[in-house]
């Protein structure tokens, strides 16, 4: 990628991000290809993403919604990806305020439920509270509804994600798709 082309892509959002944020975002995009191998998203990449959008846990997940199974999941190193889920995801999928939508922009739990509403909900009782999640910000890579590809950023306490966090993920979203396609091409070529 040409650094000048990258700057043009982000030029419309520069005013909304600090110069420091803009520089960090551009560096991430320029260096992201170094993280990609046969898998597009690695723990090391998620570690760098967690520096751009601070979170207690950062996960990338692909779901086969027809067969109701996880196709692929990656957690940032040290996030405890082997934590047992309180109930099978498929039992709460339709109730999850973000997951029940098929949108390709960054969405927060608080876009749909106030903190009070969330804490009174069934999904909080059976899913979020047992895991310890108070705030979630997700961004999906464009994909068909039967094979979703989503980044999840979770905070266990403290403040909600900001509009700056949302903007960072919205700006990165097209690059995530490009990286996923590059990894898929590499896998096919090796096969």
């Amino acid at each position: 990628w040409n650094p000048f082309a990258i700057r043009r892509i982000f030029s419309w959002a520069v005013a909304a991000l600090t110069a420091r944020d803009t520089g960090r975002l551009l560096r991430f995009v320029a260096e992201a290809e170094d993280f990609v191998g046969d898998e597009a998203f690695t723990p090391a990449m998620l570690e760098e993403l967690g520096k751009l959008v601070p979170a207690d846990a950062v996960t990338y997940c692909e779901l086969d919604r027809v067969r109701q199974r996880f196709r692929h999941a990656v957690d940032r190193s040290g996030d405890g990806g082997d934590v047992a889920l309180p109930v099978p995801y498929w039992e709460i999928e339709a109730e999850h305020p973000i997951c029940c939508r098929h949108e390709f922009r960054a969405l927060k739990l608080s876009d749909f439920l106030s903190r009070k509403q969330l804490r009174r909900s069934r999904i909080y009782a059976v899913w979020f509270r047992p895991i310890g999640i108070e705030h979630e910000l997700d961004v999906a890579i464009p994909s068909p509804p039967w094979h979703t590809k989503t980044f999840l950023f979770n905070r266990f306490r403290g403040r909600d994600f900001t509009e700056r966090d949302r903007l960072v993920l919205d700006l990165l979203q097209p690059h995530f798709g490009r990286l996923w396609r590059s990894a898929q091409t590499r896998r096919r070529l090796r096969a």
Side-chain angles (χ1 to χ4, degrees), residues 25-59:
L25 192 62
L26 291 171
R27 268 191 303 286
F28 178 84
V29 170
E31 296 170 0
E33 199 69 40
D34 296 340
F35 294 105
V36 178
D38 284 351
E39 296 300 330
F41 310 113
T42 63
M45 175 186 253
L46 297 181
E47 185 75 34
E48 293 304 310
L49 256 175
K51 293 175 185 175
L52 288 172
V53 178
D56 295 314
V58 181
T59 302

PDB file of all heavy atoms in Angstrom, residues 25-59:
ATOM      1  N   LEU A  25      -3.347   4.787  13.448  1.00  0.00           N
ATOM      2  CA  LEU A  25      -4.244   4.077  12.538  1.00  0.00           C
ATOM      3  C   LEU A  25      -3.552   3.790  11.206  1.00  0.00           C
ATOM      4  O   LEU A  25      -3.608   2.668  10.690  1.00  0.00           O
ATOM      5  CB  LEU A  25      -5.503   4.919  12.321  1.00  0.00           C
ATOM      6  CG  LEU A  25      -6.685   4.271  11.647  1.00  0.00           C
ATOM      7  CD1 LEU A  25      -7.212   3.106  12.458  1.00  0.00           C
ATOM      8  CD2 LEU A  25      -7.786   5.298  11.460  1.00  0.00           C
ATOM      9  N   LEU A  26      -2.873   4.783  10.661  1.00  0.00           N
ATOM     10  CA  LEU A  26      -2.161   4.604   9.393  1.00  0.00           C
ATOM     11  C   LEU A  26      -1.044   3.572   9.526  1.00  0.00           C
ATOM     12  O   LEU A  26      -0.842   2.749   8.630  1.00  0.00           O
ATOM     13  CB  LEU A  26      -1.610   5.937   8.906  1.00  0.00           C
ATOM     14  CG  LEU A  26      -2.657   6.958   8.458  1.00  0.00           C
ATOM     15  CD1 LEU A  26      -2.021   8.307   8.213  1.00  0.00           C
ATOM     16  CD2 LEU A  26      -3.396   6.460   7.224  1.00  0.00           C
ATOM     17  N   ARG A  27      -0.326   3.596  10.648  1.00  0.00           N
ATOM     18  CA  ARG A  27       0.729   2.600  10.871  1.00  0.00           C
ATOM     19  C   ARG A  27       0.144   1.194  10.953  1.00  0.00           C
ATOM     20  O   ARG A  27       0.692   0.244  10.400  1.00  0.00           O
ATOM     21  CB  ARG A  27       1.513   2.913  12.148  1.00  0.00           C
ATOM     22  CG  ARG A  27       2.743   3.770  11.922  1.00  0.00           C
ATOM     23  CD  ARG A  27       3.651   3.844  13.141  1.00  0.00           C
ATOM     24  NE  ARG A  27       2.983   4.342  14.340  1.00  0.00           N
ATOM     25  CZ  ARG A  27       2.651   5.621  14.550  1.00  0.00           C
ATOM     26  NH1 ARG A  27       2.914   6.530  13.634  1.00  0.00           N
ATOM     27  NH2 ARG A  27       2.043   5.979  15.664  1.00  0.00           N
ATOM     28  N   PHE A  28      -0.981   1.069  11.649  1.00  0.00           N
ATOM     29  CA  PHE A  28      -1.615  -0.242  11.763  1.00  0.00           C
ATOM     30  C   PHE A  28      -1.976  -0.782  10.383  1.00  0.00           C
ATOM     31  O   PHE A  28      -1.685  -1.930  10.063  1.00  0.00           O
ATOM     32  CB  PHE A  28      -2.865  -0.171  12.649  1.00  0.00           C
ATOM     33  CG  PHE A  28      -3.574  -1.491  12.748  1.00  0.00           C
ATOM     34  CD1 PHE A  28      -3.175  -2.436  13.669  1.00  0.00           C
ATOM     35  CD2 PHE A  28      -4.639  -1.791  11.901  1.00  0.00           C
ATOM     36  CE1 PHE A  28      -3.823  -3.662  13.757  1.00  0.00           C
ATOM     37  CE2 PHE A  28      -5.283  -3.009  11.975  1.00  0.00           C
ATOM     38  CZ  PHE A  28      -4.872  -3.946  12.911  1.00  0.00           C
ATOM     39  N   VAL A  29      -2.594   0.051   9.549  1.00  0.00           N
ATOM     40  CA  VAL A  29      -2.985  -0.393   8.208  1.00  0.00           C
ATOM     41  C   VAL A  29      -1.751  -0.769   7.393  1.00  0.00           C
ATOM     42  O   VAL A  29      -1.732  -1.794   6.709  1.00  0.00           O
ATOM     43  CB  VAL A  29      -3.826   0.692   7.490  1.00  0.00           C
ATOM     44  CG1 VAL A  29      -4.034   0.339   6.026  1.00  0.00           C
ATOM     45  CG2 VAL A  29      -5.166   0.859   8.190  1.00  0.00           C
ATOM     46  N   ALA A  30      -0.718   0.047   7.474  1.00  0.00           N
ATOM     47  CA  ALA A  30       0.501  -0.215   6.703  1.00  0.00           C
ATOM     48  C   ALA A  30       1.192  -1.497   7.162  1.00  0.00           C
ATOM     49  O   ALA A  30       1.760  -2.229   6.335  1.00  0.00           O
ATOM     50  CB  ALA A  30       1.449   0.978   6.817  1.00  0.00           C
ATOM     51  N   GLU A  31       1.135  -1.808   8.458  1.00  0.00           N
ATOM     52  CA  GLU A  31       1.836  -2.970   8.998  1.00  0.00           C
ATOM     53  C   GLU A  31       0.954  -4.205   9.114  1.00  0.00           C
ATOM     54  O   GLU A  31       1.456  -5.299   9.394  1.00  0.00           O
ATOM     55  CB  GLU A  31       2.413  -2.624  10.373  1.00  0.00           C
ATOM     56  CG  GLU A  31       3.467  -1.534  10.303  1.00  0.00           C
ATOM     57  CD  GLU A  31       3.878  -1.006  11.671  1.00  0.00           C
ATOM     58  OE1 GLU A  31       3.333  -1.492  12.696  1.00  0.00           O
ATOM     59  OE2 GLU A  31       4.737  -0.105  11.705  1.00  0.00           O
ATOM     60  N   ALA A  32      -0.335  -4.074   8.900  1.00  0.00           N
ATOM     61  CA  ALA A  32      -1.268  -5.188   9.125  1.00  0.00           C
ATOM     62  C   ALA A  32      -0.948  -6.403   8.266  1.00  0.00           C
ATOM     63  O   ALA A  32      -1.110  -7.539   8.710  1.00  0.00           O
ATOM     64  CB  ALA A  32      -2.710  -4.734   8.883  1.00  0.00           C
ATOM     65  N   GLU A  33      -0.471  -6.183   7.070  1.00  0.00           N
ATOM     66  CA  GLU A  33      -0.147  -7.297   6.173  1.00  0.00           C
ATOM     67  C   GLU A  33       0.930  -8.199   6.771  1.00  0.00           C
ATOM     68  O   GLU A  33       0.964  -9.393   6.508  1.00  0.00           O
ATOM     69  CB  GLU A  33       0.298  -6.755   4.815  1.00  0.00           C
ATOM     70  CG  GLU A  33       0.240  -7.743   3.693  1.00  0.00           C
ATOM     71  CD  GLU A  33      -1.174  -8.125   3.294  1.00  0.00           C
ATOM     72  OE1 GLU A  33      -2.060  -7.252   3.246  1.00  0.00           O
ATOM     73  OE2 GLU A  33      -1.402  -9.314   3.002  1.00  0.00           O
ATOM     74  N   ASP A  34       1.799  -7.637   7.613  1.00  0.00           N
ATOM     75  CA  ASP A  34       2.853  -8.430   8.253  1.00  0.00           C
ATOM     76  C   ASP A  34       2.287  -9.479   9.195  1.00  0.00           C
ATOM     77  O   ASP A  34       2.941 -10.484   9.481  1.00  0.00           O
ATOM     78  CB  ASP A  34       3.815  -7.527   9.034  1.00  0.00           C
ATOM     79  CG  ASP A  34       4.581  -6.574   8.133  1.00  0.00           C
ATOM     80  OD1 ASP A  34       4.670  -6.840   6.916  1.00  0.00           O
ATOM     81  OD2 ASP A  34       5.086  -5.563   8.653  1.00  0.00           O
ATOM     82  N   PHE A  35       1.086  -9.256   9.719  1.00  0.00           N
ATOM     83  CA  PHE A  35       0.472 -10.198  10.648  1.00  0.00           C
ATOM     84  C   PHE A  35      -0.243 -11.334   9.924  1.00  0.00           C
ATOM     85  O   PHE A  35      -0.574 -12.338  10.525  1.00  0.00           O
ATOM     86  CB  PHE A  35      -0.547  -9.479  11.547  1.00  0.00           C
ATOM     87  CG  PHE A  35       0.071  -8.490  12.482  1.00  0.00           C
ATOM     88  CD1 PHE A  35      -0.042  -7.132  12.246  1.00  0.00           C
ATOM     89  CD2 PHE A  35       0.763  -8.917  13.600  1.00  0.00           C
ATOM     90  CE1 PHE A  35       0.518  -6.215  13.117  1.00  0.00           C
ATOM     91  CE2 PHE A  35       1.335  -8.006  14.474  1.00  0.00           C
ATOM     92  CZ  PHE A  35       1.210  -6.658  14.225  1.00  0.00           C
ATOM     93  N   VAL A  36      -0.533 -11.137   8.644  1.00  0.00           N
ATOM     94  CA  VAL A  36      -1.368 -12.081   7.904  1.00  0.00           C
ATOM     95  C   VAL A  36      -0.524 -13.209   7.330  1.00  0.00           C
ATOM     96  O   VAL A  36       0.499 -12.992   6.704  1.00  0.00           O
ATOM     97  CB  VAL A  36      -2.133 -11.356   6.771  1.00  0.00           C
ATOM     98  CG1 VAL A  36      -2.957 -12.339   5.965  1.00  0.00           C
ATOM     99  CG2 VAL A  36      -3.014 -10.269   7.341  1.00  0.00           C
ATOM    100  N   GLY A  37      -0.978 -14.413   7.563  1.00  0.00           N
ATOM    101  CA  GLY A  37      -0.394 -15.608   6.961  1.00  0.00           C
ATOM    102  C   GLY A  37      -1.547 -16.403   6.378  1.00  0.00           C
ATOM    103  O   GLY A  37      -2.397 -15.853   5.679  1.00  0.00           O
ATOM    104  N   ASP A  38      -1.622 -17.679   6.750  1.00  0.00           N
ATOM    105  CA  ASP A  38      -2.763 -18.485   6.330  1.00  0.00           C
ATOM    106  C   ASP A  38      -4.024 -18.058   7.068  1.00  0.00           C
ATOM    107  O   ASP A  38      -5.127 -18.295   6.610  1.00  0.00           O
ATOM    108  CB  ASP A  38      -2.503 -19.976   6.584  1.00  0.00           C
ATOM    109  CG  ASP A  38      -1.552 -20.563   5.552  1.00  0.00           C
ATOM    110  OD1 ASP A  38      -1.234 -19.867   4.563  1.00  0.00           O
ATOM    111  OD2 ASP A  38      -1.118 -21.715   5.730  1.00  0.00           O
ATOM    112  N   GLU A  39      -3.837 -17.461   8.230  1.00  0.00           N
ATOM    113  CA  GLU A  39      -4.962 -16.903   8.985  1.00  0.00           C
ATOM    114  C   GLU A  39      -4.851 -15.387   8.928  1.00  0.00           C
ATOM    115  O   GLU A  39      -3.779 -14.825   9.147  1.00  0.00           O
ATOM    116  CB  GLU A  39      -4.950 -17.379  10.436  1.00  0.00           C
ATOM    117  CG  GLU A  39      -5.148 -18.873  10.597  1.00  0.00           C
ATOM    118  CD  GLU A  39      -6.471 -19.364  10.026  1.00  0.00           C
ATOM    119  OE1 GLU A  39      -7.461 -18.600  10.017  1.00  0.00           O
ATOM    120  OE2 GLU A  39      -6.531 -20.527   9.590  1.00  0.00           O
ATOM    121  N   ALA A  40      -5.966 -14.747   8.660  1.00  0.00           N
ATOM    122  CA  ALA A  40      -5.953 -13.291   8.510  1.00  0.00           C
ATOM    123  C   ALA A  40      -5.743 -12.584   9.834  1.00  0.00           C
ATOM    124  O   ALA A  40      -5.082 -11.546   9.894  1.00  0.00           O
ATOM    125  CB  ALA A  40      -7.264 -12.823   7.877  1.00  0.00           C
ATOM    126  N   PHE A  41      -6.274 -13.134  10.912  1.00  0.00           N
ATOM    127  CA  PHE A  41      -6.261 -12.428  12.185  1.00  0.00           C
ATOM    128  C   PHE A  41      -5.638 -13.312  13.250  1.00  0.00           C
ATOM    129  O   PHE A  41      -6.139 -14.398  13.540  1.00  0.00           O
ATOM    130  CB  PHE A  41      -7.677 -11.986  12.544  1.00  0.00           C
ATOM    131  CG  PHE A  41      -8.335 -11.268  11.394  1.00  0.00           C
ATOM    132  CD1 PHE A  41      -9.416 -11.811  10.737  1.00  0.00           C
ATOM    133  CD2 PHE A  41      -7.818 -10.062  10.926  1.00  0.00           C
ATOM    134  CE1 PHE A  41      -9.999 -11.164   9.654  1.00  0.00           C
ATOM    135  CE2 PHE A  41      -8.387  -9.410   9.842  1.00  0.00           C
ATOM    136  CZ  PHE A  41      -9.478  -9.960   9.209  1.00  0.00           C
ATOM    137  N   THR A  42      -4.551 -12.839  13.784  1.00  0.00           N
ATOM    138  CA  THR A  42      -3.762 -13.591  14.755  1.00  0.00           C
ATOM    139  C   THR A  42      -3.839 -12.921  16.131  1.00  0.00           C
ATOM    140  O   THR A  42      -4.223 -11.751  16.224  1.00  0.00           O
ATOM    141  CB  THR A  42      -2.295 -13.638  14.317  1.00  0.00           C
ATOM    142  OG1 THR A  42      -1.787 -12.284  14.306  1.00  0.00           O
ATOM    143  CG2 THR A  42      -2.141 -14.259  12.925  1.00  0.00           C
ATOM    144  N   PRO A  43      -3.440 -13.630  17.174  1.00  0.00           N
ATOM    145  CA  PRO A  43      -3.385 -12.976  18.485  1.00  0.00           C
ATOM    146  C   PRO A  43      -2.518 -11.710  18.473  1.00  0.00           C
ATOM    147  O   PRO A  43      -2.867 -10.719  19.105  1.00  0.00           O
ATOM    148  CB  PRO A  43      -2.796 -14.062  19.392  1.00  0.00           C
ATOM    149  CG  PRO A  43      -3.253 -15.347  18.758  1.00  0.00           C
ATOM    150  CD  PRO A  43      -3.171 -15.074  17.276  1.00  0.00           C
ATOM    151  N   ALA A  44      -1.414 -11.738  17.714  1.00  0.00           N
ATOM    152  CA  ALA A  44      -0.537 -10.560  17.638  1.00  0.00           C
ATOM    153  C   ALA A  44      -1.265  -9.374  17.003  1.00  0.00           C
ATOM    154  O   ALA A  44      -1.128  -8.232  17.449  1.00  0.00           O
ATOM    155  CB  ALA A  44       0.731 -10.887  16.857  1.00  0.00           C
ATOM    156  N   MET A  45      -2.056  -9.637  15.971  1.00  0.00           N
ATOM    157  CA  MET A  45      -2.803  -8.551  15.337  1.00  0.00           C
ATOM    158  C   MET A  45      -3.861  -8.010  16.300  1.00  0.00           C
ATOM    159  O   MET A  45      -4.060  -6.795  16.392  1.00  0.00           O
ATOM    160  CB  MET A  45      -3.476  -8.997  14.046  1.00  0.00           C
ATOM    161  CG  MET A  45      -4.336  -7.896  13.455  1.00  0.00           C
ATOM    162  SD  MET A  45      -5.274  -8.436  12.058  1.00  0.00           S
ATOM    163  CE  MET A  45      -4.350  -7.604  10.798  1.00  0.00           C
ATOM    164  N   LEU A  46      -4.524  -8.910  17.008  1.00  0.00           N
ATOM    165  CA  LEU A  46      -5.542  -8.474  17.961  1.00  0.00           C
ATOM    166  C   LEU A  46      -4.911  -7.668  19.103  1.00  0.00           C
ATOM    167  O   LEU A  46      -5.535  -6.752  19.635  1.00  0.00           O
ATOM    168  CB  LEU A  46      -6.327  -9.666  18.496  1.00  0.00           C
ATOM    169  CG  LEU A  46      -7.140 -10.439  17.450  1.00  0.00           C
ATOM    170  CD1 LEU A  46      -7.884 -11.590  18.108  1.00  0.00           C
ATOM    171  CD2 LEU A  46      -8.085  -9.547  16.695  1.00  0.00           C
ATOM    172  N   GLU A  47      -3.676  -7.995  19.441  1.00  0.00           N
ATOM    173  CA  GLU A  47      -2.943  -7.230  20.443  1.00  0.00           C
ATOM    174  C   GLU A  47      -2.765  -5.785  19.969  1.00  0.00           C
ATOM    175  O   GLU A  47      -3.003  -4.833  20.714  1.00  0.00           O
ATOM    176  CB  GLU A  47      -1.569  -7.877  20.688  1.00  0.00           C
ATOM    177  CG  GLU A  47      -0.769  -7.250  21.778  1.00  0.00           C
ATOM    178  CD  GLU A  47      -1.278  -7.599  23.161  1.00  0.00           C
ATOM    179  OE1 GLU A  47      -1.761  -8.725  23.366  1.00  0.00           O
ATOM    180  OE2 GLU A  47      -1.183  -6.719  24.034  1.00  0.00           O
ATOM    181  N   GLU A  48      -2.387  -5.620  18.718  1.00  0.00           N
ATOM    182  CA  GLU A  48      -2.214  -4.276  18.154  1.00  0.00           C
ATOM    183  C   GLU A  48      -3.551  -3.543  18.040  1.00  0.00           C
ATOM    184  O   GLU A  48      -3.639  -2.353  18.306  1.00  0.00           O
ATOM    185  CB  GLU A  48      -1.528  -4.341  16.784  1.00  0.00           C
ATOM    186  CG  GLU A  48      -0.088  -4.823  16.847  1.00  0.00           C
ATOM    187  CD  GLU A  48       0.769  -3.979  17.773  1.00  0.00           C
ATOM    188  OE1 GLU A  48       0.751  -2.729  17.654  1.00  0.00           O
ATOM    189  OE2 GLU A  48       1.460  -4.559  18.631  1.00  0.00           O
ATOM    190  N   LEU A  49      -4.591  -4.279  17.673  1.00  0.00           N
ATOM    191  CA  LEU A  49      -5.925  -3.681  17.600  1.00  0.00           C
ATOM    192  C   LEU A  49      -6.379  -3.183  18.971  1.00  0.00           C
ATOM    193  O   LEU A  49      -7.003  -2.128  19.084  1.00  0.00           O
ATOM    194  CB  LEU A  49      -6.943  -4.724  17.103  1.00  0.00           C
ATOM    195  CG  LEU A  49      -7.402  -4.606  15.678  1.00  0.00           C
ATOM    196  CD1 LEU A  49      -8.301  -5.773  15.324  1.00  0.00           C
ATOM    197  CD2 LEU A  49      -8.058  -3.305  15.391  1.00  0.00           C
ATOM    198  N   GLY A  50      -6.049  -3.950  20.002  1.00  0.00           N
ATOM    199  CA  GLY A  50      -6.401  -3.566  21.365  1.00  0.00           C
ATOM    200  C   GLY A  50      -5.680  -2.316  21.834  1.00  0.00           C
ATOM    201  O   GLY A  50      -6.112  -1.669  22.787  1.00  0.00           O
ATOM    202  N   LYS A  51      -4.604  -1.964  21.178  1.00  0.00           N
ATOM    203  CA  LYS A  51      -3.914  -0.711  21.479  1.00  0.00           C
ATOM    204  C   LYS A  51      -4.632   0.467  20.824  1.00  0.00           C
ATOM    205  O   LYS A  51      -4.606   1.574  21.341  1.00  0.00           O
ATOM    206  CB  LYS A  51      -2.461  -0.765  21.010  1.00  0.00           C
ATOM    207  CG  LYS A  51      -1.622  -1.760  21.786  1.00  0.00           C
ATOM    208  CD  LYS A  51      -0.227  -1.866  21.199  1.00  0.00           C
ATOM    209  CE  LYS A  51       0.579  -2.954  21.907  1.00  0.00           C
ATOM    210  NZ  LYS A  51       1.890  -3.159  21.267  1.00  0.00           N
ATOM    211  N   LEU A  52      -5.261   0.211  19.679  1.00  0.00           N
ATOM    212  CA  LEU A  52      -6.017   1.263  18.991  1.00  0.00           C
ATOM    213  C   LEU A  52      -7.370   1.507  19.652  1.00  0.00           C
ATOM    214  O   LEU A  52      -7.834   2.639  19.744  1.00  0.00           O
ATOM    215  CB  LEU A  52      -6.233   0.893  17.523  1.00  0.00           C
ATOM    216  CG  LEU A  52      -5.009   0.954  16.625  1.00  0.00           C
ATOM    217  CD1 LEU A  52      -5.328   0.366  15.258  1.00  0.00           C
ATOM    218  CD2 LEU A  52      -4.514   2.379  16.483  1.00  0.00           C
ATOM    219  N   VAL A  53      -8.028   0.421  20.044  1.00  0.00           N
ATOM    220  CA  VAL A  53      -9.323   0.502  20.725  1.00  0.00           C
ATOM    221  C   VAL A  53      -9.176  -0.276  22.030  1.00  0.00           C
ATOM    222  O   VAL A  53      -9.322  -1.495  22.051  1.00  0.00           O
ATOM    223  CB  VAL A  53     -10.463  -0.087  19.864  1.00  0.00           C
ATOM    224  CG1 VAL A  53     -11.784  -0.044  20.618  1.00  0.00           C
ATOM    225  CG2 VAL A  53     -10.576   0.644  18.535  1.00  0.00           C
ATOM    226  N   PRO A  54      -8.840   0.428  23.107  1.00  0.00           N
ATOM    227  CA  PRO A  54      -8.607  -0.265  24.376  1.00  0.00           C
ATOM    228  C   PRO A  54      -9.827  -1.067  24.827  1.00  0.00           C
ATOM    229  O   PRO A  54     -10.957  -0.584  24.793  1.00  0.00           O
ATOM    230  CB  PRO A  54      -8.314   0.882  25.349  1.00  0.00           C
ATOM    231  CG  PRO A  54      -7.840   2.011  24.481  1.00  0.00           C
ATOM    232  CD  PRO A  54      -8.614   1.869  23.202  1.00  0.00           C
ATOM    233  N   ALA A  55      -9.564  -2.312  25.205  1.00  0.00           N
ATOM    234  CA  ALA A  55     -10.621  -3.213  25.650  1.00  0.00           C
ATOM    235  C   ALA A  55     -10.013  -4.253  26.573  1.00  0.00           C
ATOM    236  O   ALA A  55      -8.805  -4.509  26.520  1.00  0.00           O
ATOM    237  CB  ALA A  55     -11.282  -3.891  24.450  1.00  0.00           C
ATOM    238  N   ASP A  56     -10.841  -4.847  27.414  1.00  0.00           N
ATOM    239  CA  ASP A  56     -10.372  -5.912  28.293  1.00  0.00           C
ATOM    240  C   ASP A  56     -10.215  -7.230  27.543  1.00  0.00           C
ATOM    241  O   ASP A  56      -9.436  -8.086  27.951  1.00  0.00           O
ATOM    242  CB  ASP A  56     -11.344  -6.096  29.462  1.00  0.00           C
ATOM    243  CG  ASP A  56     -11.372  -4.866  30.350  1.00  0.00           C
ATOM    244  OD1 ASP A  56     -10.284  -4.349  30.686  1.00  0.00           O
ATOM    245  OD2 ASP A  56     -12.474  -4.411  30.689  1.00  0.00           O
ATOM    246  N   ALA A  57     -10.957  -7.406  26.467  1.00  0.00           N
ATOM    247  CA  ALA A  57     -10.854  -8.607  25.641  1.00  0.00           C
ATOM    248  C   ALA A  57     -11.129  -8.221  24.191  1.00  0.00           C
ATOM    249  O   ALA A  57     -12.024  -7.434  23.913  1.00  0.00           O
ATOM    250  CB  ALA A  57     -11.845  -9.668  26.103  1.00  0.00           C
ATOM    251  N   VAL A  58     -10.326  -8.798  23.284  1.00  0.00           N
ATOM    252  CA  VAL A  58     -10.498  -8.573  21.848  1.00  0.00           C
ATOM    253  C   VAL A  58     -10.539  -9.947  21.188  1.00  0.00           C
ATOM    254  O   VAL A  58      -9.657 -10.777  21.405  1.00  0.00           O
ATOM    255  CB  VAL A  58      -9.337  -7.739  21.245  1.00  0.00           C
ATOM    256  CG1 VAL A  58      -9.557  -7.508  19.759  1.00  0.00           C
ATOM    257  CG2 VAL A  58      -9.172  -6.421  21.991  1.00  0.00           C
ATOM    258  N   THR A  59     -11.588 -10.183  20.404  1.00  0.00           N
ATOM    259  CA  THR A  59     -11.803 -11.488  19.770  1.00  0.00           C
ATOM    260  C   THR A  59     -12.212 -11.295  18.323  1.00  0.00           C
ATOM    261  O   THR A  59     -12.913 -10.349  17.986  1.00  0.00           O
ATOM    262  CB  THR A  59     -12.935 -12.256  20.502  1.00  0.00           C
ATOM    263  OG1 THR A  59     -12.588 -12.405  21.871  1.00  0.00           O
ATOM    264  CG2 THR A  59     -13.172 -13.624  19.893  1.00  0.00           C
TER     265      THR A  59
END
